[in-house]
Amino acid sequence: MSGFSSEERAAPFTLEYRVFLKNDKGQYISPFHDIPIYAEKDVFHMVVEVPRWSNAKMEIATKDPLNPIKQDVKKGKLRYVANLFPYKGYIWNYGAIPQTWEDPGHSDQHTGCCGDNDPIDVCEIGSKVCSRGEIIKVKVLGILAMIDEGETDWKVIAINVDDPDAANYNDISDVERLKPGYLEATVDWFRRYKVPDGKPENEFAFNAEFKNKDFAIDIIKSTHDYWKALVTKRTDGKGISCMNTTVSDSPFKCDPDAAKAIVDALPPPCESACSLPTDVDKWFHHQKN
């Protein structure tokens, strides 16, 4: 068990929906700033934003206090990714490594583009379908350098350390060997997923080749350094909320009561007994309208 838990506010697939994270004491925290980047030596924490096979584009709300997970909105409408043939929704558990930040003021030496202003993304390739807001421990295997509308958007490939086959995966070459076609499908998915929305195909550095574990960890460490500058106000976040409860040298640190007040001002927790449409139902309704 990670010691972290989540709490939903308002109904899923609505503009008001939020998922807040709590620590082992039940206190509200920021999944962006308060969950440590490392779970243990050479193992990273991952915040699951989108469970595999689902379509709703959920993400850490970087500009909201405490950075809850919410559904992305474009032009006033909730965002869903299309079912790109032959795939169904996201083809991995998708999320982010906490305490990382792709600095939009820094031009990446590998891509020539600035960061996308978000925590670094992770594609978790294990067999379990994770839950939204779940915190898992992952072993990093490699990384893909995507360029999204002129911004650097690294995609880390990782596997849950609790996966039954985790011991067999130690670098990106193991993914190529044990899951043939999966990395090619990952590139294809990221290249085309915005096309149904009228956007151009995404581009990649390194001719869309995946870099290995050591390269990936170096990139993650660099984004952790950018995050440190952000949360200690050595870098202008330009609207990013750095409110946190644990970073001792951060001027944005608050006490648990202040964090609780933020959440208490929102709609009450969603009751599990609520009768709600499924993600798939919402997606097809979205497509028809």
Side-chain angles (χ1 to χ4, degrees):
M1 297 293 289
S2 68
F4 301 102
S5 60
S6 62
E7 178 182 295
E8 293 181 305
R9 289 288 176 129
F13 318 117
T14 66
L15 293 172
E16 296 77 23
Y17 178 71
R18 301 289 186 274
V19 180
F20 285 91
L21 272 291
K22 295 179 177 180
N23 61 18
D24 57 357
K25 297 178 181 178
Q27 298 167 329
Y28 295 106
I29 59 172
S30 162
F32 189 179
H33 306 301
D34 289 319
I35 296 173
I37 179 174
Y38 292 103
E40 53 195 76
K41 189 177 186 298
D42 298 327
V43 176
F44 294 85
H45 277 125
M46 173 184 171
V47 181
V48 177
E49 298 166 315
V50 186
R52 182 189 291 114
W53 313 134
S54 63
N55 298 80
K57 192 177 189 304
M58 300 282 180
E59 60 186 19
I60 291 171
T62 58
K63 296 186 177 181
D64 291 5
L66 294 181
N67 316 112
I69 296 170
K70 69 178 183 181
Q71 190 165 353
D72 192 23
V73 176
K74 187 73 76 173
K75 296 182 179 178
K77 293 186 177 182
L78 296 168
R79 288 188 66 189
Y80 297 82
V81 299
N83 289 321
L84 290 172
F85 182 83
Y87 317 115
K88 166 65 182 77
Y90 287 74
I91 62 174
W92 348 254
N93 294 303
Y94 191 69
I97 295 178
Q99 296 188 338
T100 63
W101 181 54
E102 296 196 55
D103 185 353
H106 170 76
S107 180
D108 188 275
Q109 63 173 318
H110 305 290
T111 66
C113 299
C114 294
D116 71 347
N117 206 28
D118 284 322
I120 198 165
D121 297 322
V122 190
C123 303
E124 193 280 317
I125 66 169
S127 56
K128 175 188 174 184
V129 176
C130 294
S131 302
R132 187 183 310 126
E134 187 175 354
I135 308 301
I136 62 174
K137 300 175 182 180
V138 298
K139 183 193 302 187
V140 168
L141 305 172
I143 199 165
L144 176 67
M146 190 175 90
I147 300 172
D148 184 354
E149 298 183 33
E151 295 178 333
T152 301
D153 192 1
W154 292 102
K155 305 298 181 185
V156 175
I157 305 300
I159 189 166
N160 191 334
V161 296
D162 293 328
D163 190 90
D165 293 327
N168 297 322
Y169 291 86
N170 296 292
D171 213 323
I172 200 68
S173 58
D174 295 320
V175 185
E176 296 169 345
R177 178 172 57 88
L178 297 171
K179 289 183 179 284
Y182 201 10
L183 295 180
E184 291 84 354
T186 294
V187 172
D188 182 47
W189 194 96
F190 277 122
R191 189 187 303 278
R192 298 192 294 122
Y193 84 101
K194 287 188 175 181
V195 172
D197 294 328
K199 298 286 185 68
E201 291 186 348
N202 284 319
E203 299 177 342
F204 304 89
F206 305 114
N207 195 32
E209 294 177 0
F210 288 82
K211 307 301 283 186
N212 66 15
K213 172 183 178 177
D214 290 340
F215 187 100
I217 290 176
D218 283 344
I219 294 296
I220 295 168
K221 287 179 177 178
S222 71
T223 63
H224 182 53
D225 289 339
Y226 296 135
W227 169 82
K228 286 180 182 176
L230 171 71
V231 80
T232 56
K233 211 174 180 179
R234 287 182 282 122
T235 297
D236 182 5
K238 296 179 179 177
I240 286 183
S241 175
C242 294
M243 184 180 188
N244 69 85
T245 64
T246 60
V247 186
S248 58
D249 56 345
S250 170
F252 306 103
K253 184 182 177 184
C254 70
D255 61 40
D257 288 340
K260 184 176 184 297
I262 293 291
V263 184
D264 286 347
L266 298 173
C270 180
E271 297 294 335
S272 59
C274 290
S275 177
L276 295 170
T278 65
D279 193 350
V280 176
D281 291 337
K282 278 281 184 179
W283 166 243
F284 283 113
H285 175 76
H286 167 76
Q287 288 293 79
K288 292 176 182 177
N289 295 278

